[in-house]
PDB file of all heavy atoms in Angstrom:
ATOM      1  N   MET A 564      26.983  64.874   4.444  1.00  0.00           N
ATOM      2  CA  MET A 564      26.440  64.632   5.776  1.00  0.00           C
ATOM      3  C   MET A 564      26.702  65.836   6.675  1.00  0.00           C
ATOM      4  O   MET A 564      27.808  66.373   6.700  1.00  0.00           O
ATOM      5  CB  MET A 564      27.079  63.373   6.386  1.00  0.00           C
ATOM      6  CG  MET A 564      26.572  63.027   7.773  1.00  0.00           C
ATOM      7  SD  MET A 564      27.165  61.431   8.355  1.00  0.00           S
ATOM      8  CE  MET A 564      26.182  60.347   7.318  1.00  0.00           C
ATOM      9  N   HIS A 587      32.189  66.372   3.859  1.00  0.00           N
ATOM     10  CA  HIS A 587      31.119  66.506   4.847  1.00  0.00           C
ATOM     11  C   HIS A 587      31.056  67.934   5.385  1.00  0.00           C
ATOM     12  O   HIS A 587      32.051  68.665   5.352  1.00  0.00           O
ATOM     13  CB  HIS A 587      31.335  65.500   5.975  1.00  0.00           C
ATOM     14  CG  HIS A 587      31.444  64.086   5.498  1.00  0.00           C
ATOM     15  ND1 HIS A 587      30.371  63.376   5.026  1.00  0.00           N
ATOM     16  CD2 HIS A 587      32.530  63.265   5.371  1.00  0.00           C
ATOM     17  CE1 HIS A 587      30.772  62.165   4.647  1.00  0.00           C
ATOM     18  NE2 HIS A 587      32.075  62.079   4.842  1.00  0.00           N
ATOM     19  N   TYR A 642      24.631  63.684  12.275  1.00  0.00           N
ATOM     20  CA  TYR A 642      25.467  62.831  13.114  1.00  0.00           C
ATOM     21  C   TYR A 642      26.351  63.728  13.969  1.00  0.00           C
ATOM     22  O   TYR A 642      26.784  64.796  13.529  1.00  0.00           O
ATOM     23  CB  TYR A 642      26.362  61.946  12.248  1.00  0.00           C
ATOM     24  CG  TYR A 642      26.340  60.473  12.598  1.00  0.00           C
ATOM     25  CD1 TYR A 642      25.548  59.568  11.899  1.00  0.00           C
ATOM     26  CD2 TYR A 642      27.147  59.981  13.633  1.00  0.00           C
ATOM     27  CE1 TYR A 642      25.548  58.221  12.207  1.00  0.00           C
ATOM     28  CE2 TYR A 642      27.153  58.628  13.938  1.00  0.00           C
ATOM     29  CZ  TYR A 642      26.343  57.755  13.233  1.00  0.00           C
ATOM     30  OH  TYR A 642      26.345  56.408  13.544  1.00  0.00           O
ATOM     31  N   PRO A 661      22.618  59.938  16.433  1.00  0.00           N
ATOM     32  CA  PRO A 661      23.761  59.058  16.704  1.00  0.00           C
ATOM     33  C   PRO A 661      25.054  59.854  16.847  1.00  0.00           C
ATOM     34  O   PRO A 661      25.185  60.960  16.320  1.00  0.00           O
ATOM     35  CB  PRO A 661      23.799  58.143  15.477  1.00  0.00           C
ATOM     36  CG  PRO A 661      23.075  58.891  14.405  1.00  0.00           C
ATOM     37  CD  PRO A 661      22.033  59.715  15.089  1.00  0.00           C
ATOM     38  N   CYS A 662      25.999  59.259  17.566  1.00  0.00           N
ATOM     39  CA  CYS A 662      27.249  59.964  17.870  1.00  0.00           C
ATOM     40  C   CYS A 662      28.411  58.974  17.905  1.00  0.00           C
ATOM     41  O   CYS A 662      28.277  57.869  18.450  1.00  0.00           O
ATOM     42  CB  CYS A 662      27.119  60.672  19.219  1.00  0.00           C
ATOM     43  SG  CYS A 662      28.563  61.646  19.708  1.00  0.00           S
ATOM     44  N   ILE A 663      29.542  59.369  17.316  1.00  0.00           N
ATOM     45  CA  ILE A 663      30.763  58.581  17.396  1.00  0.00           C
ATOM     46  C   ILE A 663      31.832  59.392  18.122  1.00  0.00           C
ATOM     47  O   ILE A 663      31.710  60.597  18.285  1.00  0.00           O
ATOM     48  CB  ILE A 663      31.279  58.143  16.007  1.00  0.00           C
ATOM     49  CG1 ILE A 663      31.479  59.350  15.086  1.00  0.00           C
ATOM     50  CG2 ILE A 663      30.346  57.104  15.394  1.00  0.00           C
ATOM     51  CD1 ILE A 663      32.089  59.000  13.726  1.00  0.00           C
ATOM     52  N   ILE A 694      37.808  54.701  16.511  1.00  0.00           N
ATOM     53  CA  ILE A 694      36.534  55.405  16.284  1.00  0.00           C
ATOM     54  C   ILE A 694      35.433  54.460  16.740  1.00  0.00           C
ATOM     55  O   ILE A 694      35.313  53.340  16.224  1.00  0.00           O
ATOM     56  CB  ILE A 694      36.313  55.760  14.798  1.00  0.00           C
ATOM     57  CG1 ILE A 694      37.503  56.533  14.228  1.00  0.00           C
ATOM     58  CG2 ILE A 694      35.005  56.539  14.636  1.00  0.00           C
ATOM     59  CD1 ILE A 694      37.638  57.951  14.690  1.00  0.00           C
ATOM     60  N   MET A 695      34.646  54.891  17.707  1.00  0.00           N
ATOM     61  CA  MET A 695      33.602  53.997  18.205  1.00  0.00           C
ATOM     62  C   MET A 695      32.308  54.748  18.472  1.00  0.00           C
ATOM     63  O   MET A 695      32.280  55.985  18.528  1.00  0.00           O
ATOM     64  CB  MET A 695      34.071  53.265  19.468  1.00  0.00           C
ATOM     65  CG  MET A 695      33.917  53.993  20.777  1.00  0.00           C
ATOM     66  SD  MET A 695      35.079  55.336  21.032  1.00  0.00           S
ATOM     67  CE  MET A 695      34.702  55.707  22.758  1.00  0.00           C
ATOM     68  N   LYS A 696      31.249  54.026  18.623  1.00  0.00           N
ATOM     69  CA  LYS A 696      29.948  54.593  18.955  1.00  0.00           C
ATOM     70  C   LYS A 696      29.976  55.080  20.391  1.00  0.00           C
ATOM     71  O   LYS A 696      30.542  54.434  21.271  1.00  0.00           O
ATOM     72  CB  LYS A 696      28.853  53.531  18.783  1.00  0.00           C
ATOM     73  CG  LYS A 696      27.440  54.022  19.073  1.00  0.00           C
ATOM     74  CD  LYS A 696      26.431  52.890  18.881  1.00  0.00           C
ATOM     75  CE  LYS A 696      25.015  53.358  19.170  1.00  0.00           C
ATOM     76  NZ  LYS A 696      24.030  52.255  19.016  1.00  0.00           N
ATOM     77  N   ASP A 705      30.638  50.260  20.691  1.00  0.00           N
ATOM     78  CA  ASP A 705      31.111  49.371  19.621  1.00  0.00           C
ATOM     79  C   ASP A 705      32.087  50.109  18.714  1.00  0.00           C
ATOM     80  O   ASP A 705      31.935  51.300  18.430  1.00  0.00           O
ATOM     81  CB  ASP A 705      29.925  48.859  18.800  1.00  0.00           C
ATOM     82  CG  ASP A 705      28.987  47.973  19.616  1.00  0.00           C
ATOM     83  OD1 ASP A 705      29.356  47.616  20.745  1.00  0.00           O
ATOM     84  OD2 ASP A 705      27.892  47.656  19.116  1.00  0.00           O
ATOM     85  N   ILE A 706      33.085  49.371  18.229  1.00  0.00           N
ATOM     86  CA  ILE A 706      34.165  49.952  17.429  1.00  0.00           C
ATOM     87  C   ILE A 706      33.839  49.927  15.939  1.00  0.00           C
ATOM     88  O   ILE A 706      33.440  48.891  15.403  1.00  0.00           O
ATOM     89  CB  ILE A 706      35.482  49.192  17.695  1.00  0.00           C
ATOM     90  CG1 ILE A 706      35.940  49.432  19.145  1.00  0.00           C
ATOM     91  CG2 ILE A 706      36.577  49.635  16.725  1.00  0.00           C
ATOM     92  CD1 ILE A 706      37.123  48.570  19.557  1.00  0.00           C
ATOM     93  N   LEU A 707      34.039  51.068  15.287  1.00  0.00           N
ATOM     94  CA  LEU A 707      33.870  51.171  13.843  1.00  0.00           C
ATOM     95  C   LEU A 707      35.212  51.031  13.123  1.00  0.00           C
ATOM     96  O   LEU A 707      35.346  50.281  12.160  1.00  0.00           O
ATOM     97  CB  LEU A 707      33.214  52.508  13.480  1.00  0.00           C
ATOM     98  CG  LEU A 707      33.102  52.856  11.989  1.00  0.00           C
ATOM     99  CD1 LEU A 707      32.363  51.766  11.226  1.00  0.00           C
ATOM    100  CD2 LEU A 707      32.433  54.209  11.811  1.00  0.00           C
ATOM    101  N   LEU A 708      36.223  51.778  13.585  1.00  0.00           N
ATOM    102  CA  LEU A 708      37.545  51.745  12.966  1.00  0.00           C
ATOM    103  C   LEU A 708      38.614  51.733  14.049  1.00  0.00           C
ATOM    104  O   LEU A 708      38.429  52.306  15.125  1.00  0.00           O
ATOM    105  CB  LEU A 708      37.761  52.981  12.082  1.00  0.00           C
ATOM    106  CG  LEU A 708      36.935  53.122  10.811  1.00  0.00           C
ATOM    107  CD1 LEU A 708      37.161  54.510  10.198  1.00  0.00           C
ATOM    108  CD2 LEU A 708      37.293  52.040   9.800  1.00  0.00           C
ATOM    109  N   MET A 734      40.734  59.371  10.105  1.00  0.00           N
ATOM    110  CA  MET A 734      39.831  58.249  10.379  1.00  0.00           C
ATOM    111  C   MET A 734      38.394  58.715  10.599  1.00  0.00           C
ATOM    112  O   MET A 734      37.446  57.999  10.269  1.00  0.00           O
ATOM    113  CB  MET A 734      40.343  57.463  11.582  1.00  0.00           C
ATOM    114  CG  MET A 734      41.626  56.694  11.297  1.00  0.00           C
ATOM    115  SD  MET A 734      42.320  55.892  12.769  1.00  0.00           S
ATOM    116  CE  MET A 734      40.993  54.759  13.218  1.00  0.00           C
ATOM    117  N   ALA A 735      38.212  59.914  11.136  1.00  0.00           N
ATOM    118  CA  ALA A 735      36.861  60.463  11.303  1.00  0.00           C
ATOM    119  C   ALA A 735      36.203  60.676   9.945  1.00  0.00           C
ATOM    120  O   ALA A 735      35.016  60.366   9.741  1.00  0.00           O
ATOM    121  CB  ALA A 735      36.914  61.766  12.086  1.00  0.00           C
ATOM    122  N   VAL A 736      36.972  61.201   8.995  1.00  0.00           N
ATOM    123  CA  VAL A 736      36.454  61.383   7.632  1.00  0.00           C
ATOM    124  C   VAL A 736      36.090  60.031   7.031  1.00  0.00           C
ATOM    125  O   VAL A 736      35.014  59.862   6.434  1.00  0.00           O
ATOM    126  CB  VAL A 736      37.496  62.099   6.751  1.00  0.00           C
ATOM    127  CG1 VAL A 736      37.018  62.141   5.304  1.00  0.00           C
ATOM    128  CG2 VAL A 736      37.745  63.524   7.263  1.00  0.00           C
ATOM    129  N   GLU A 737      36.982  59.047   7.204  1.00  0.00           N
ATOM    130  CA  GLU A 737      36.713  57.692   6.693  1.00  0.00           C
ATOM    131  C   GLU A 737      35.460  57.113   7.333  1.00  0.00           C
ATOM    132  O   GLU A 737      34.644  56.460   6.657  1.00  0.00           O
ATOM    133  CB  GLU A 737      37.917  56.796   6.979  1.00  0.00           C
ATOM    134  CG  GLU A 737      37.757  55.374   6.450  1.00  0.00           C
ATOM    135  CD  GLU A 737      38.953  54.488   6.782  1.00  0.00           C
ATOM    136  OE1 GLU A 737      39.981  55.010   7.285  1.00  0.00           O
ATOM    137  OE2 GLU A 737      38.857  53.271   6.546  1.00  0.00           O
ATOM    138  N   ALA A 738      35.283  57.360   8.634  1.00  0.00           N
ATOM    139  CA  ALA A 738      34.119  56.836   9.340  1.00  0.00           C
ATOM    140  C   ALA A 738      32.815  57.410   8.775  1.00  0.00           C
ATOM    141  O   ALA A 738      31.846  56.667   8.534  1.00  0.00           O
ATOM    142  CB  ALA A 738      34.222  57.154  10.829  1.00  0.00           C
ATOM    143  N   PHE A 739      32.785  58.702   8.534  1.00  0.00           N
ATOM    144  CA  PHE A 739      31.568  59.310   7.989  1.00  0.00           C
ATOM    145  C   PHE A 739      31.332  58.892   6.535  1.00  0.00           C
ATOM    146  O   PHE A 739      30.173  58.791   6.103  1.00  0.00           O
ATOM    147  CB  PHE A 739      31.630  60.825   8.124  1.00  0.00           C
ATOM    148  CG  PHE A 739      31.338  61.308   9.514  1.00  0.00           C
ATOM    149  CD1 PHE A 739      32.264  62.077  10.214  1.00  0.00           C
ATOM    150  CD2 PHE A 739      30.133  60.997  10.140  1.00  0.00           C
ATOM    151  CE1 PHE A 739      31.993  62.510  11.507  1.00  0.00           C
ATOM    152  CE2 PHE A 739      29.854  61.426  11.424  1.00  0.00           C
ATOM    153  CZ  PHE A 739      30.788  62.183  12.117  1.00  0.00           C
ATOM    154  N   ASP A 740      32.394  58.620   5.799  1.00  0.00           N
ATOM    155  CA  ASP A 740      32.227  58.073   4.445  1.00  0.00           C
ATOM    156  C   ASP A 740      31.527  56.719   4.512  1.00  0.00           C
ATOM    157  O   ASP A 740      30.608  56.432   3.722  1.00  0.00           O
ATOM    158  CB  ASP A 740      33.586  57.919   3.752  1.00  0.00           C
ATOM    159  CG  ASP A 740      34.208  59.252   3.359  1.00  0.00           C
ATOM    160  OD1 ASP A 740      33.492  60.276   3.360  1.00  0.00           O
ATOM    161  OD2 ASP A 740      35.419  59.259   3.047  1.00  0.00           O
ATOM    162  N   LEU A 741      31.956  55.874   5.454  1.00  0.00           N
ATOM    163  CA  LEU A 741      31.347  54.548   5.620  1.00  0.00           C
ATOM    164  C   LEU A 741      29.899  54.660   6.076  1.00  0.00           C
ATOM    165  O   LEU A 741      29.011  53.945   5.580  1.00  0.00           O
ATOM    166  CB  LEU A 741      32.149  53.726   6.636  1.00  0.00           C
ATOM    167  CG  LEU A 741      33.535  53.251   6.200  1.00  0.00           C
ATOM    168  CD1 LEU A 741      34.292  52.653   7.373  1.00  0.00           C
ATOM    169  CD2 LEU A 741      33.420  52.213   5.079  1.00  0.00           C
ATOM    170  N   ILE A 742      29.644  55.545   7.028  1.00  0.00           N
ATOM    171  CA  ILE A 742      28.286  55.715   7.537  1.00  0.00           C
ATOM    172  C   ILE A 742      27.358  56.213   6.436  1.00  0.00           C
ATOM    173  O   ILE A 742      26.241  55.701   6.256  1.00  0.00           O
ATOM    174  CB  ILE A 742      28.289  56.692   8.732  1.00  0.00           C
ATOM    175  CG1 ILE A 742      28.996  56.058   9.938  1.00  0.00           C
ATOM    176  CG2 ILE A 742      26.864  57.100   9.105  1.00  0.00           C
ATOM    177  CD1 ILE A 742      29.305  57.032  11.061  1.00  0.00           C
ATOM    178  N   GLU A 743      27.821  57.193   5.677  1.00  0.00           N
ATOM    179  CA  GLU A 743      26.992  57.769   4.609  1.00  0.00           C
ATOM    180  C   GLU A 743      26.691  56.751   3.519  1.00  0.00           C
ATOM    181  O   GLU A 743      25.595  56.747   2.944  1.00  0.00           O
ATOM    182  CB  GLU A 743      27.711  58.979   4.019  1.00  0.00           C
ATOM    183  CG  GLU A 743      26.837  59.809   3.077  1.00  0.00           C
ATOM    184  CD  GLU A 743      27.521  61.093   2.663  1.00  0.00           C
ATOM    185  OE1 GLU A 743      28.655  61.015   2.142  1.00  0.00           O
ATOM    186  OE2 GLU A 743      26.945  62.170   2.859  1.00  0.00           O
ATOM    187  N   SER A 744      27.642  55.854   3.251  1.00  0.00           N
ATOM    188  CA  SER A 744      27.459  54.863   2.196  1.00  0.00           C
ATOM    189  C   SER A 744      26.702  53.626   2.669  1.00  0.00           C
ATOM    190  O   SER A 744      26.391  52.734   1.862  1.00  0.00           O
ATOM    191  CB  SER A 744      28.823  54.430   1.645  1.00  0.00           C
ATOM    192  OG  SER A 744      29.565  53.729   2.631  1.00  0.00           O
ATOM    193  N   GLY A 745      26.433  53.560   3.969  1.00  0.00           N
ATOM    194  CA  GLY A 745      25.736  52.408   4.524  1.00  0.00           C
ATOM    195  C   GLY A 745      26.626  51.193   4.732  1.00  0.00           C
ATOM    196  O   GLY A 745      26.131  50.083   4.956  1.00  0.00           O
ATOM    197  N   LYS A 746      27.933  51.376   4.690  1.00  0.00           N
ATOM    198  CA  LYS A 746      28.879  50.267   4.824  1.00  0.00           C
ATOM    199  C   LYS A 746      29.507  50.166   6.217  1.00  0.00           C
ATOM    200  O   LYS A 746      30.384  49.335   6.439  1.00  0.00           O
ATOM    201  CB  LYS A 746      29.987  50.411   3.780  1.00  0.00           C
ATOM    202  CG  LYS A 746      29.494  50.336   2.338  1.00  0.00           C
ATOM    203  CD  LYS A 746      30.645  50.512   1.357  1.00  0.00           C
ATOM    204  CE  LYS A 746      30.148  50.445  -0.090  1.00  0.00           C
ATOM    205  NZ  LYS A 746      31.260  50.633  -1.066  1.00  0.00           N
ATOM    206  N   ALA A 747      29.065  51.006   7.140  1.00  0.00           N
ATOM    207  CA  ALA A 747      29.651  51.004   8.483  1.00  0.00           C
ATOM    208  C   ALA A 747      29.272  49.739   9.243  1.00  0.00           C
ATOM    209  O   ALA A 747      28.101  49.343   9.272  1.00  0.00           O
ATOM    210  CB  ALA A 747      29.188  52.239   9.251  1.00  0.00           C
ATOM    211  N   LYS A 748      30.284  49.090   9.835  1.00  0.00           N
ATOM    212  CA  LYS A 748      30.064  47.907  10.653  1.00  0.00           C
ATOM    213  C   LYS A 748      30.702  48.120  12.023  1.00  0.00           C
ATOM    214  O   LYS A 748      31.896  48.379  12.121  1.00  0.00           O
ATOM    215  CB  LYS A 748      30.659  46.667   9.975  1.00  0.00           C
ATOM    216  CG  LYS A 748      29.968  46.293   8.664  1.00  0.00           C
ATOM    217  CD  LYS A 748      30.582  45.033   8.070  1.00  0.00           C
ATOM    218  CE  LYS A 748      29.880  44.649   6.771  1.00  0.00           C
ATOM    219  NZ  LYS A 748      30.465  43.417   6.165  1.00  0.00           N
ATOM    220  N   PHE A 749      29.905  48.021  13.056  1.00  0.00           N
ATOM    221  CA  PHE A 749      30.374  48.241  14.421  1.00  0.00           C
ATOM    222  C   PHE A 749      30.580  46.901  15.134  1.00  0.00           C
ATOM    223  O   PHE A 749      29.723  46.018  15.057  1.00  0.00           O
ATOM    224  CB  PHE A 749      29.365  49.089  15.199  1.00  0.00           C
ATOM    225  CG  PHE A 749      29.293  50.520  14.744  1.00  0.00           C
ATOM    226  CD1 PHE A 749      28.479  50.886  13.673  1.00  0.00           C
ATOM    227  CD2 PHE A 749      30.043  51.498  15.376  1.00  0.00           C
ATOM    228  CE1 PHE A 749      28.413  52.209  13.255  1.00  0.00           C
ATOM    229  CE2 PHE A 749      29.986  52.826  14.964  1.00  0.00           C
ATOM    230  CZ  PHE A 749      29.166  53.183  13.894  1.00  0.00           C
ATOM    231  N   THR A 750      31.702  46.770  15.840  1.00  0.00           N
ATOM    232  CA  THR A 750      32.054  45.533  16.535  1.00  0.00           C
ATOM    233  C   THR A 750      32.129  45.777  18.038  1.00  0.00           C
ATOM    234  O   THR A 750      32.825  46.702  18.473  1.00  0.00           O
ATOM    235  CB  THR A 750      33.414  45.007  16.040  1.00  0.00           C
ATOM    236  OG1 THR A 750      33.368  44.831  14.633  1.00  0.00           O
ATOM    237  CG2 THR A 750      33.763  43.691  16.718  1.00  0.00           C
ATOM    238  N   PRO A 751      31.451  44.957  18.854  1.00  0.00           N
ATOM    239  CA  PRO A 751      31.497  45.155  20.310  1.00  0.00           C
ATOM    240  C   PRO A 751      32.916  45.004  20.861  1.00  0.00           C
ATOM    241  O   PRO A 751      33.723  44.227  20.339  1.00  0.00           O
ATOM    242  CB  PRO A 751      30.581  44.043  20.845  1.00  0.00           C
ATOM    243  CG  PRO A 751      29.695  43.682  19.694  1.00  0.00           C
ATOM    244  CD  PRO A 751      30.527  43.873  18.462  1.00  0.00           C
TER     245      PRO A 751
END
Side-chain angles (χ1 to χ4, degrees):
M564 180 172 288
H587 304 288
Y642 230 98
C662 182
I663 55 176
I694 307 287
M695 84 287 188
K696 181 180 180 181
D705 295 350
I706 293 172
L707 173 56
L708 292 172
M734 290 174 62
V736 174
E737 182 182 352
F739 282 122
D740 288 345
L741 290 171
I742 291 168
E743 190 172 55
S744 66
K746 297 179 180 179
K748 294 182 179 180
F749 290 85
T750 304

